[in-house]
Amino acid sequence: MISIIVPVYEAELTIVDTVESVISQSYTNWELILVVDGSPDNSGKICDQITQQYNDNHNFRIRVIHQQNQGLSGARNVGILHAKGEYVCFIDSDDTVESDYLSSLIMLYDEYDTDLATCGMKFINGVNENTNSFACLESFSDLFNNKKFISLFETGLMNSACNKLYKSCIIKNNSLKFQKISIVEDLAFNIDYFRCISTVSVTTSTPYCYRIYNSTLTRNVSEEMFVNYIKIHKKLYGLVAKKNHYIIDGFIFHQYFSITLRYLKKIIAGEFTQRDVFPILRKYHSNEHVKNSFANYHTSINVERIMIFLIRHKQYALLCMMLKVLS
């Protein structure tokens, strides 16, 4: 059986679609755990209604857990504690999955006797859809010494918890939990899981539909983001051979670069001042790991090259001017 864990918070407009996409799965041996995480809207009531309506005819395969707000990580951890399945997967409450989501993942376990199954994702922004799989039908072993596997980090395939099917016994026997940290909780959990296993298998299928919203969360920025990615950077340096550190530098470069641009766009929007932001950027761009990322990342895109040059030389005022022109 597969335990599907869905944290629910302010999802009254989307949770019905999410649940219906689970109910439509071609693979039918599953349970659905909806963790209503202190949501202030009608999400909890909707989950209760869905559960009552569906379970009347389907042997109580959907459960709802109501709790005070603990955040995404806390909700997932509670779901893990209540999971009865041999396998566990996670779906966000504003996303959906296609009917072959579970079957395409369980197939990898049947075919490769693997420790983790991974699929691609569809990124949907309004009516636009961008399919990112970056995958070939393949199984990887000796993970942190496998250059091809390490390179999957930069594609984004290894970052999310939502495109994976985990073994419950590995999570529970190793007391793995999602950390209550900013923006990087999925990646931190996955790295801890990778350390406990031997093989990861990937399919070219892209049945997970991730909806992108221009939300406050996607625009927020804080020093904690730099801090958490630096911790991830250090951890991966300790797991990967030094000769492959440049791959990790290239992967985490995108995160440092994105955080930097978020800060500068806050200045342009008038939400922060240069006096607020520039000392923060100087502080973290002086960090050894951050400097390595900017030094070891190479691009043929001229605009990116100029931006990287300005960041490496801490010319933030010029970069702000450039961003204004480009916006």
Side-chain angles (χ1 to χ4, degrees):
M1 184 170 70
I2 296 173
S3 296
I4 305 164
I5 298 169
V6 179
V8 180
Y9 185 81
E10 294 188 346
E12 62 183 7
L13 299 179
T14 58
I15 188 60
V16 172
D17 288 342
T18 302
V19 173
E20 287 182 347
S21 73
V22 171
I23 293 171
S24 70
Q25 291 301 296
S26 58
Y27 185 89
T28 58
N29 190 11
W30 52 261
E31 64 168 355
L32 175 60
I33 303 171
L34 302 170
V35 184
V36 181
D37 191 41
S39 185
D41 63 0
N42 291 316
S43 296
K45 291 180 181 178
I46 294 171
C47 288
D48 289 336
Q49 291 167 357
I50 291 170
T51 302
Q52 184 175 2
Q53 180 182 355
Y54 183 80
N55 283 346
D56 282 346
N57 299 313
H58 294 84
N59 299 320
F60 301 98
R61 294 167 66 195
I62 302 179
R63 286 183 281 154
V64 181
I65 300 169
H66 294 270
Q67 65 178 29
Q68 292 183 343
N69 182 259
Q70 297 183 33
L72 177 64
S73 292
R76 285 176 173 169
N77 290 335
V78 167
I80 290 170
L81 288 175
H82 288 82
K84 299 176 181 178
E86 182 181 357
Y87 303 99
V88 170
C89 68
F90 303 95
I91 301 175
D92 287 345
S93 59
D94 53 356
D95 296 337
T96 59
V97 289
E98 295 180 350
S99 60
D100 63 340
Y101 171 64
L102 296 180
S103 61
S104 64
L105 290 170
I106 204 71
M107 176 272 294
L108 292 174
Y109 279 100
D110 293 338
E111 185 164 342
Y112 291 108
D113 189 27
T114 190
D115 295 318
L116 179 70
T118 301
C119 67
M121 305 173 80
K122 291 183 178 71
F123 296 87
I124 302 170
N125 186 358
V127 297
N128 299 316
E129 179 180 303
N130 178 26
T131 299
N132 285 331
S133 175
F134 302 109
C136 53
L137 187 60
E138 191 168 348
S139 194
F140 301 89
S141 58
D142 194 19
L143 301 179
F144 290 110
N145 292 312
N146 188 324
K147 187 174 179 180
K148 191 171 183 181
F149 173 77
I150 298 167
S151 297
L152 288 178
F153 280 99
E154 189 165 1
T155 69
L157 195 68
M158 292 296 113
N159 298 6
S160 176
C162 291
N163 62 333
K164 295 174 178 62
L165 187 62
Y166 303 87
K167 284 186 176 179
S168 295
C169 61
I170 292 175
I171 293 174
K172 295 179 178 180
N173 290 346
N174 293 281
S175 301
L176 301 182
K177 293 183 178 180
F178 285 89
Q179 301 173 38
K180 295 181 180 180
I181 55 178
S182 170
I183 209 171
V184 75
E185 65 270 25
D186 283 23
L187 178 57
F189 180 85
N190 286 337
I191 292 172
D192 288 341
Y193 189 92
F194 296 150
R195 296 176 69 180
C196 301
I197 64 176
S198 300
T199 57
V200 171
S201 298
V202 178
T203 176
T204 54
S205 175
T206 58
Y208 191 94
C209 303
Y210 181 93
R211 295 197 177 275
I212 301 171
Y213 299 94
N214 189 25
S215 64
T216 302
L217 182 62
T218 61
R219 298 191 302 271
N220 278 347
V221 68
S222 69
E223 288 189 63
E224 185 186 8
M225 294 178 178
F226 271 125
V227 170
N228 289 337
Y229 271 113
I230 289 170
K231 287 180 180 177
I232 291 290
H233 203 157
K234 289 179 179 178
K235 180 178 284 190
L236 287 172
Y237 263 22
L239 295 169
V240 172
K242 189 172 183 178
K243 65 181 180 181
N244 291 325
H245 280 186
Y246 73 95
I247 302 175
I248 303 303
D249 293 334
F251 154 55
I252 300 191
F253 159 82
H254 297 286
Q255 321 309 325
Y256 296 142
F257 187 57
S258 174
I259 296 167
T260 300
L261 295 188
R262 285 192 195 189
Y263 266 115
L264 296 176
K265 288 176 181 178
K266 290 285 187 182
I267 296 175
I268 295 169
E271 298 177 43
F272 293 161
T273 67
Q274 293 185 3
R275 185 175 295 179
D276 296 325
V277 169
F278 289 0
I280 294 172
L281 296 182
R282 291 190 190 99
K283 173 183 175 182
Y284 289 103
H285 291 157
S286 298
N287 176 274
E288 176 186 358
H289 292 82
V290 180
K291 286 197 296 185
N292 284 346
S293 279
F294 280 95
N296 292 327
Y297 182 77
H298 302 286
T299 177
S300 60
I301 302 172
N302 287 333
V303 170
E304 275 194 355
R305 291 171 66 182
I306 295 169
M307 288 182 176
I308 293 169
F309 176 85
L310 293 175
I311 291 170
R312 289 177 63 185
H313 291 83
K314 300 182 175 60
Q315 297 297 312
Y316 307 124
L318 288 175
L319 186 51
C320 278
M321 293 172 60
M322 182 177 179
L323 291 173
K324 283 182 182 179
V325 171
L326 294 173
S327 63

